[in-house]
Amino acid sequence: MDLVRFFVKRFLRLLLTVLIISTLIFFVIRIIPGDPALIIAGVDASAEDIQIIREKLGTDRSLPMQYLAWLYSIIRFDFGNSMISGESVTKLIFERFPLTLTLALMGISIGILVAIPLGVMSAVKRWSLWDYFGLVFSQAGMAIPSFWLGMVLLLLFAVKIPIFPLFGSETFAHYILPALSLGFGRAAVILRLARASMVEELSKEYVITARAKGLTETMVKYKHALKNALLPVITITGIELGYMLGGAIIIEQVFSLPGLGRLFLFGIYQRDFTLIQGGVVFVAIVFSMINFLADILYSVVNPKIRVE
Amino acid sequence: MMAENQALLKVENLGVCFTHGAMKAHALRGIDLSFYREEIHGLVGESGSGKTVTSTCIIGLLPSPPGEYTSGRILFDGVDLLGLSQAEMRTYRGRKIAMVFQEPSKYLNPAFKIGEQITEMLKLHLDMNKEQARQRAIELLGLVGLGKDGRVLDSYPHELSGGMKQRAMIAIAISCNPEFLIADEPTTALDVTLQLQILRLIKKLKDLLGMGVLFISHDLGVVKEVADRVSVIYAGRIVESSTKGMLFENPLHPYTKLLMASIPDARKRGQRLATIPGRVPDADATPSGCAFHPRCPLADERCKTENPELKGKENGHAAACHHAGESWNI
């Protein structure tokens, strides 16, 4: 019962977030000086040409009408056509999305599979070799810029020792180096949090209860403390994944991958307003959805959140 | 009167020291306690007197370092618990010696249902399968007054009230029919009305399961309600020990007398509540001689230099005081 109510509440919050962001984008775009119709038409265009473009864009209508039309288009997931190529923005986004999704999932997997176990072990065996290794790993992960790591990895494992392909996105192997470069820094953040969280949980009173019950140390740590320690880790992992799904502009540039990041970057270069606004709304929706899923997962692990 | 050798659990001359750098804190300075089946032994003292350290030692969870045993034994069924490895001790913990803690909301794991927190012990210690464990858990909940339908099994701790949480905590503790139960201030975090219910529950379970109980409290009033035997601890030493009747009728140690005088009493309404001046000394700075002498109204030169022995064990009422039984104007 609690879970269903929590689910509905969080879903309404998701819708509200998307609505607020869409509204913000709508007005920000309108505040930016310059009439998009003029930009499209060019300096030499006649007044009629400009009027025709305005009608096509819908900017000839009143502001409230434009706003309603905008919200309606979001509901239909139709962000209009690119002002440069004329292609559907939705189509452009969904062409690029699988690549970004693959990259993000692989990047976050590195975070989950490496950082969480390493962080938890660091906490359990504090000030041991494990912990120092984790410390070096996370310091390096936070200090090394991902583009530099990407270039070094390319140089080492695609040029000097050609194990991985230099560019392209056809096979799984193409994604390994970019995912590593992308995931390393994220993993560092997750590791620090996992360690701090586990250290805190291990000092909680219920751990004493678990020991007093005669449970083995394995059960005390990896059942009782770990389940609680994972809570903040779930939240931060969701946020990290959300960021990655917005496209990794730098990594996509380094590895010449045609992902969302590059699509939006070129949209900005070319002042493709419809593409930019569609892109921002899309990223906002994806981000909210990931957070929503993380919240649901969180509430399964920690039922207490449902009533708070 | 039960003979000494029938004791279920005996703490003998137990000494514990905590080391922090160059600082040494003697938390326990040689204490003796005997626990019998079907008997609640109250251990009373102020914060920092060594009550909780005593219980931590009995259940074998003294953090070491910084804690360290300096002397003594803890005999349970003739076995010295201090000589056991952690793996051996685990077969006692929860199975034969169980513990109930002060604040159930902190000592229950918030992420697991009550059912899981009970059944994991049954599966581990009694090799029960899932269904057997669930049946037994429902039985246990009925026993502690949490309903016979087992609805609480599927509740998380945050869904229960304070009193229910403490009942659940007790259900966990008694799940494997332990022979010895440690209750460390089990009612301190509860409302007064709930306190009495929980005290009665512990008494009932003691009779039902034949457990020996160590009941720790800072509140002599609560101990009077529940205990059969009472020991008073001060600065890591037992200063007085007796059956409840004898102790409350004729307290021998001035500290015990002062503690009794500070129990609120409806008949003394309107008067100032008596307090004991000063506070318990830190364990790294225990006064010389009798540790209580700086706060004692009867203290003389001898008390400052010579530590009194616990005398009078033969007649079942022992006190560690050079002026045992002497009276003064409180």
Side-chain angles (χ1 to χ4, degrees):
Chain A
M1 240 358 259
D2 273 351
L3 186 62
V4 175
R5 223 174 45 222
F6 178 78
F7 192 93
V8 171
K9 250 164 77 180
R10 285 299 149 112
F11 190 73
L12 290 177
R13 186 194 275 189
L14 186 161
L15 293 182
L16 188 68
T17 311
V18 173
L19 177 72
I20 291 171
I21 290 168
S22 316
T23 309
L24 271 176
I25 293 163
F26 175 83
F27 286 106
V28 166
I29 296 272
R30 264 60 188 179
I31 288 167
I32 295 171
D35 183 344
L38 285 176
I39 297 168
I40 295 172
V43 258
D44 307 325
S46 66
E48 288 106 68
D49 285 347
I50 293 168
Q51 189 55 34
I52 290 166
I53 293 170
R54 277 196 185 132
E55 274 167 31
K56 239 173 88 183
L57 291 175
T59 48
D60 58 328
R61 286 177 285 177
S62 69
L63 211 58
M65 283 309 291
Q66 284 186 43
Y67 179 61
L68 288 177
W70 165 242
L71 290 186
Y72 183 54
S73 70
I74 290 169
I75 292 166
R76 286 179 298 138
F77 227 76
D78 170 13
F79 302 116
N81 296 331
S82 160
M83 288 162 77
I84 307 301
S85 67
E87 283 179 272
S88 152
V89 169
T90 310
K91 185 171 150 264
L92 282 173
I93 288 174
F94 278 101
E95 273 171 11
R96 306 295 189 95
F97 190 57
L99 187 146
T100 297
L101 184 66
T102 312
L103 195 57
L105 288 179
M106 284 178 68
I108 207 73
S109 303
I110 293 170
I112 293 168
L113 297 177
V114 177
I116 296 179
L118 195 54
V120 169
M121 285 303 290
S122 293
V124 170
K125 301 193 187 310
R126 255 204 290 180
W127 317 127
S128 68
L129 268 177
W130 262 107
D131 197 12
Y132 287 114
F133 177 70
L135 190 71
V136 171
F137 180 91
S138 63
Q139 291 290 346
M142 280 188 260
I144 296 174
S146 59
F147 72 88
W148 184 85
L149 183 66
M151 288 194 292
V152 169
L153 287 177
L154 266 184
L155 196 64
L156 283 177
F157 299 108
V159 180
K160 297 269 185 206
I161 317 162
I163 316 169
F164 295 104
L166 196 51
F167 59 85
S169 59
E170 290 81 35
T171 66
F172 183 73
H174 285 98
Y175 289 93
I176 292 178
L177 293 184
L180 275 175
S181 337
L182 189 63
F184 191 44
R186 308 293 96 200
V189 175
I190 296 172
L191 187 152
R192 294 316 293 169
L193 187 79
R195 180 187 185 275
S197 174
M198 189 69 180
V199 165
E200 193 191 325
E201 291 304 325
L202 284 173
S203 70
K204 291 272 176 78
E205 288 86 350
Y206 66 77
V207 170
I208 300 174
T209 310
R211 292 209 172 98
K213 286 160 87 174
L215 305 182
T216 60
E217 275 304 295
T218 311
M219 281 175 89
V220 171
K221 288 179 177 124
Y222 300 109
K223 180 180 175 184
H224 282 264
L226 185 60
K227 193 173 176 192
N228 287 287
L230 283 181
L231 294 171
V233 178
I234 290 171
T235 309
I236 199 78
T237 306
I239 292 172
E240 298 286 355
L241 180 63
Y243 276 127
M244 289 193 211
L245 285 175
I249 293 176
I250 294 170
I251 291 298
E252 287 173 16
Q253 279 294 81
V254 171
F255 290 91
S256 326
L257 294 170
L260 278 185
R262 283 178 100 202
L263 177 70
F264 299 150
L265 184 65
F266 288 126
I268 294 166
Y269 281 159
Q270 299 174 314
R271 291 176 182 270
D272 191 340
F273 284 109
T274 39
L275 177 58
I276 298 167
Q277 70 182 14
V280 175
V281 172
F282 177 78
V283 170
I285 292 172
V286 169
F287 197 92
S288 308
M289 272 167 49
I290 295 295
N291 268 325
F292 171 71
L293 291 177
D295 276 352
I296 296 300
L297 185 60
Y298 190 104
S299 79
V300 169
V301 181
N302 178 20
K304 202 170 169 181
I305 196 79
R306 291 177 210 160
V307 284
E308 272 163 9
Chain B
M1 191 99 270
M2 273 178 261
E4 282 286 279
N5 56 11
Q6 281 179 312
L8 169 68
L9 190 142
K10 269 186 90 166
V11 176
E12 288 180 356
N13 189 31
L14 185 65
V16 169
C17 177
F18 289 94
T19 310
H20 294 284
M23 209 173 72
K24 279 190 180 297
H26 294 274
L28 293 182
R29 300 180 298 134
I31 67 164
D32 294 288
L33 290 166
S34 296
F35 302 95
Y36 302 91
R37 286 176 204 279
E38 288 184 57
E39 188 181 270
I40 297 182
H41 190 146
L43 184 61
V44 189
E46 289 169 89
S47 313
S49 56
K51 297 172 303 209
T52 298
V53 177
T54 307
S55 66
T56 311
C57 293
I58 294 174
I59 201 134
L61 288 174
L62 183 74
S64 171
E68 194 191 339
Y69 295 106
T70 52
S71 65
R73 302 189 294 174
I74 298 175
L75 292 173
F76 182 84
D77 270 348
V79 180
D80 182 9
L81 298 182
L82 299 187
L84 297 180
S85 70
Q86 278 297 318
E88 288 168 319
M89 193 59 212
R90 269 202 300 277
T91 62
Y92 284 80
R93 246 183 251 143
R95 173 73 189 85
K96 292 176 178 164
I97 301 175
M99 191 152 174
V100 174
F101 295 92
Q102 180 171 355
E103 286 175 84
S105 44
K106 287 185 179 166
Y107 282 89
L108 288 171
N109 192 328
F112 290 94
K113 289 178 181 172
I114 298 296
E116 175 61 23
Q117 299 193 47
I118 299 176
T119 54
E120 67 174 348
M121 282 181 85
L122 299 168
K123 289 182 211 160
L124 180 76
H125 291 303
L126 304 180
D127 278 326
M128 286 190 180
N129 64 32
K130 213 175 158 186
E131 191 44 43
Q132 290 169 322
R134 195 176 164 84
Q135 284 311 317
R136 168 77 178 142
I138 293 172
E139 230 174 85
L140 285 163
L141 290 182
L143 212 55
V144 298
L146 284 174
K148 301 207 185 313
D149 52 0
R151 219 157 32 93
V152 173
L153 283 187
D154 293 317
S155 301
Y156 287 93
H158 72 268
E159 295 171 316
L160 305 180
S161 69
M164 288 170 88
K165 271 184 250 190
Q166 193 55 292
R167 286 173 192 270
M169 184 103 230
I170 292 170
I172 293 171
I174 62 161
S175 61
C176 299
N177 279 331
E179 294 171 56
F180 190 68
L181 180 74
I182 302 169
D184 189 353
E185 307 242 10
T187 60
T188 307
L190 300 176
D191 295 340
V192 184
T193 45
L194 288 171
Q195 280 193 9
L196 202 60
Q197 291 179 20
I198 297 292
L199 294 179
R200 285 190 186 138
L201 176 64
I202 291 174
K203 266 195 199 167
K204 181 186 103 178
L205 293 171
K206 179 259 301 177
D207 291 332
L208 201 66
L209 305 173
M211 298 181 291
V213 179
L214 164 58
F215 189 97
I216 293 174
S217 181
H218 67 278
D219 185 344
L220 208 50
V222 168
V223 168
K224 191 176 180 181
E225 194 66 48
V226 73
D228 304 302
R229 183 180 297 272
V230 182
S231 292
V232 181
I233 186 168
Y234 187 82
R237 278 178 71 94
I238 301 296
V239 295
E240 183 158 4
S241 185
S242 173
T243 59
K244 180 174 73 178
M246 282 201 276
L247 187 97
F248 280 92
E249 220 162 273
N250 179 29
L252 295 177
H253 199 285
Y255 181 57
T256 314
K257 288 183 187 174
L258 284 164
L259 279 181
M260 282 180 188
S262 60
I263 302 175
D265 186 339
R267 282 168 297 179
K268 295 186 203 156
R269 187 178 289 274
Q271 292 178 30
R272 243 184 122 80
L273 189 62
T275 53
I276 309 175
R279 59 180 192 90
V280 179
D282 290 329
D284 60 323
T286 311
S288 61
C290 170
F292 188 58
H293 82 256
R295 302 170 77 185
C296 183
L298 296 173
D300 57 18
E301 282 308 310
R302 187 179 170 212
C303 300
K304 289 179 189 165
T305 52
E306 199 182 315
N307 199 358
E309 291 291 314
L310 191 62
K311 282 178 295 201
K313 286 180 195 169
E314 314 76 39
N315 55 23
H317 190 164
C321 179
H322 297 307
H323 303 282
E326 286 178 29
S327 59
W328 78 99
N329 250 337
I330 294 180

